[in-house]
């Protein structure tokens, strides 16, 4: 494994990283109001999307890398022109925007808002082809989530529904047409921190505070596999080319101070997707790993940490060599 590329463009902890479909760009957002875009091949920063006034929780990019979507604790979800960095739309909310995403067509966006300050959690759907919805700040569909707030969400296959993970460990499929709950499962007993899809959208992987990560069928929500660790899992991703998953996690902030601070001891963990066995670890971060993402070609992955760094690791997936860690 070659030396990782270090991306230093944030002053506070990274909350999410995303590759575009081609994999030539990485988008990173953090608690410092800035969204960055980088060249994934050499870690050069392409530019920033400036305008938010609060921590950013989520970022997404559409299928043809035209538009970028960001959600923030400044109670707004914003749409940007990817190339120029110009703000195209701003959707105001009553509470922080926790998750956001483009559907496969890039025409429909979804985002969820936090339950805070007397407001409940909502899942909102906007059609970007209808300028009136944007102008009036009126989504074509709003789904209230009274029971437990959404902590992570992704679009399912064909843009028919959104798969959402909740604070109580539930996973729901919310129809993008009617807003009704199509399927519901509860395989985790604590908060789901992250949900990511496989490259063909047939599976999703969850990362939970209950120290495990699980693989589900995205249409039926059948539970397929489980990956267990000793620490809360903040993020998990599925390799696009191998039967591998990578998981990133750490400890609760309050526990970090009570443990020894060996240099960069926070590891990304690799598990075999079929055998559920861990086969490698990659050290490097100086704090818990908040998010992980595979490059679409499967030959590198990135991790974003509480330390504010994003690290891109290139490797040959056929021959993992975890002894030569940087």
């Amino acid at each position: 494994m070659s030396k990782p590329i270090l991306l230093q463009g944030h002053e506070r902890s990274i909350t999410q990283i995303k590759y575009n479909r081609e994999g030539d760009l990485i988008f990173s957002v953090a608690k410092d109001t800035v969204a960055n875009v980088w060249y994934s091949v050499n870690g050069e920063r392409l530019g920033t999307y400036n305008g938010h006034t609060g921590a950013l929780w989520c970022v997404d990019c559409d299928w043809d890398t035209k538009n970028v979507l960001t959600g923030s604790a400044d109670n707004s979800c914003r749409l940007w022109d990817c190339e120029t960095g110009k703000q195209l739309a701003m959707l105001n909310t009553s509470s922080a925007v926790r998750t956001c995403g483009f559907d496969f067509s890039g025409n429909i966006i979804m985002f969820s808002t936090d339950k805070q300050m007397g407001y409940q959690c909502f899942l909102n759907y906007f059609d970007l082809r209808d300028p009136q919805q944007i102008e009036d700040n009126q989504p074509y569909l709003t789904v209230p989530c009274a029971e437990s707030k959404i902590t992570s969400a992704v679009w399912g296959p064909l843009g028919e529904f959104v798969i959402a993970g909740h604070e109580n460990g539930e996973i729901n499929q919310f129809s993008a047409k009617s807003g009704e709950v199509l399927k519901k499962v509860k395989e985790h007993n604590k908060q789901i921190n992250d949900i990511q899809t496989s490259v063909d959208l047939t599976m999703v992987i969850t990362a939970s505070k209950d120290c495990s990560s699980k693989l589900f069928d995205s249409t039926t929500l059948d539970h397929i596999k489980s990956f267990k660790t000793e620490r809360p899992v903040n993020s998990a991703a599925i390799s696009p080319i191998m039967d591998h998953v990578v998981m990133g996690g750490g400890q609760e902030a309050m526990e970090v101070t009570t443990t020894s601070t060996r240099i960069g001891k926070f590891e990304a963990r690799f598990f075999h997707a079929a055998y559920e066995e861990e086969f490698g670890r990659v050290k490097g971060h100086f704090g818990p790993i908040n998010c992980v993402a595979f490059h679409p070609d499967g030959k590198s992955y990135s991790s974003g940490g509480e330390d504010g760094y994003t690290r891109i690791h290139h490797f040959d997936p056929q021959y993992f060599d975890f002894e030569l860690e940087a």
Side-chain angles (χ1 to χ4, degrees):
M1 205 178 222
S2 53
K3 207 169 175 333
I5 300 170
L6 207 58
L7 312 184
Q8 301 173 267
H10 291 285
E11 290 168 10
R12 296 197 52 202
S13 52
I14 311 288
T15 49
Q16 195 172 30
I17 47 182
K18 276 268 172 78
Y19 283 90
N20 64 343
R21 187 177 53 93
E22 288 85 7
D24 59 328
L25 301 179
I26 298 180
F27 299 88
S28 64
V29 290
K31 293 182 183 175
D32 62 3
T33 77
V34 177
N36 282 321
V37 57
W38 316 77
Y39 284 116
S40 64
V41 64
N42 58 4
E44 184 188 336
R45 181 157 68 168
L46 192 65
T48 58
Y49 302 96
N50 298 322
H52 279 290
T53 56
L56 274 78
W57 290 120
C58 52
V59 63
D60 196 25
C61 170
D62 63 4
W63 202 74
D64 47 12
T65 318
K66 270 234 270 290
N67 297 330
V68 178
L69 196 62
T70 53
S72 165
D74 67 7
N75 297 1
S76 76
C77 182
R78 302 185 194 212
L79 184 70
W80 312 84
D81 182 300
C82 179
E83 198 178 355
T84 62
K86 188 168 155 268
Q87 186 175 304
L88 303 175
M90 174 170 169
L91 304 165
N92 289 301
T93 57
S94 306
S95 55
V97 177
R98 177 67 49 180
T99 66
C100 66
F102 289 98
D103 81 331
F104 192 69
S105 69
N107 293 325
I108 314 277
I109 61 165
M110 65 86 182
F111 62 87
S112 72
T113 57
D114 272 354
K115 179 179 171 177
Q116 66 188 63
M117 299 182 296
Y119 294 99
Q120 63 176 28
C121 162
F122 287 103
L123 177 61
N124 297 301
Y125 294 93
F126 279 86
D127 191 328
L128 299 177
R129 292 166 296 191
D130 179 2
Q132 209 53 52
Q133 287 181 25
I134 309 292
E135 218 169 289
D136 303 344
N137 205 18
Q138 226 21 68
Y140 76 84
L141 186 58
T142 297
V143 186
C145 306
E147 284 178 33
S148 178
K149 78 163 193 175
I150 293 175
T151 46
S152 184
V154 289
W155 278 96
L158 303 173
E160 287 171 1
F161 51 80
V162 162
I163 303 168
H166 295 253
E167 199 169 29
N168 62 1
E170 264 180 14
I171 303 174
N172 285 308
Q173 282 178 354
F174 292 101
S175 163
K177 305 274 186 296
S178 64
E180 65 183 316
V181 175
L182 305 174
K183 292 239 161 41
K184 175 189 277 200
V185 296
K186 190 167 188 297
E187 292 284 345
H188 288 288
N189 51 30
K190 283 189 180 165
Q191 172 174 317
I192 292 173
N193 291 325
D194 187 28
I195 288 192
Q196 292 192 32
T197 47
S198 58
V199 69
D200 59 1
L201 303 184
T202 56
M203 296 187 294
V204 292
I205 191 163
T206 56
S208 170
K209 211 170 170 173
D210 68 9
C211 303
S212 75
S213 181
K214 293 177 192 273
L215 210 52
F216 295 87
D217 181 291
S218 27
T219 312
T220 62
L221 288 190
D222 288 338
H223 172 219
I224 308 168
K225 298 284 177 187
S226 295
F227 312 99
K228 296 182 174 63
T229 67
E230 316 76 61
R231 296 194 177 141
V233 187
N234 294 335
S235 184
I238 304 168
S239 166
I241 56 166
M242 304 287 283
D243 291 332
H244 296 162
V245 301
V246 63
M247 290 154 58
Q251 298 146 294
E252 304 294 310
M254 54 190 243
E255 293 164 18
V256 173
T257 50
T258 59
T259 53
S260 72
T261 49
R262 204 160 81 246
I263 301 200
K265 70 179 174 66
F266 288 88
E267 300 146 327
R269 298 161 162 234
F270 281 81
F271 279 75
H272 195 286
Y275 304 126
E276 305 181 334
E277 285 171 357
E278 185 180 4
F279 64 85
R281 295 187 183 189
V282 181
K283 291 191 195 66
H285 283 280
F286 291 89
I289 294 172
N290 291 341
C291 46
V292 289
F294 269 105
H295 188 291
D297 72 5
K299 294 180 182 156
S300 62
Y301 81 95
S302 300
S303 54
E306 192 69 28
D307 55 10
Y309 295 119
T310 301
R311 302 168 70 94
I312 307 174
H313 295 263
H314 288 270
F315 56 83
D316 184 336
Q318 246 71 30
Y319 310 100
F320 271 93
D321 189 356
F322 285 103
E323 306 318 306
L324 306 171
E325 271 332 327

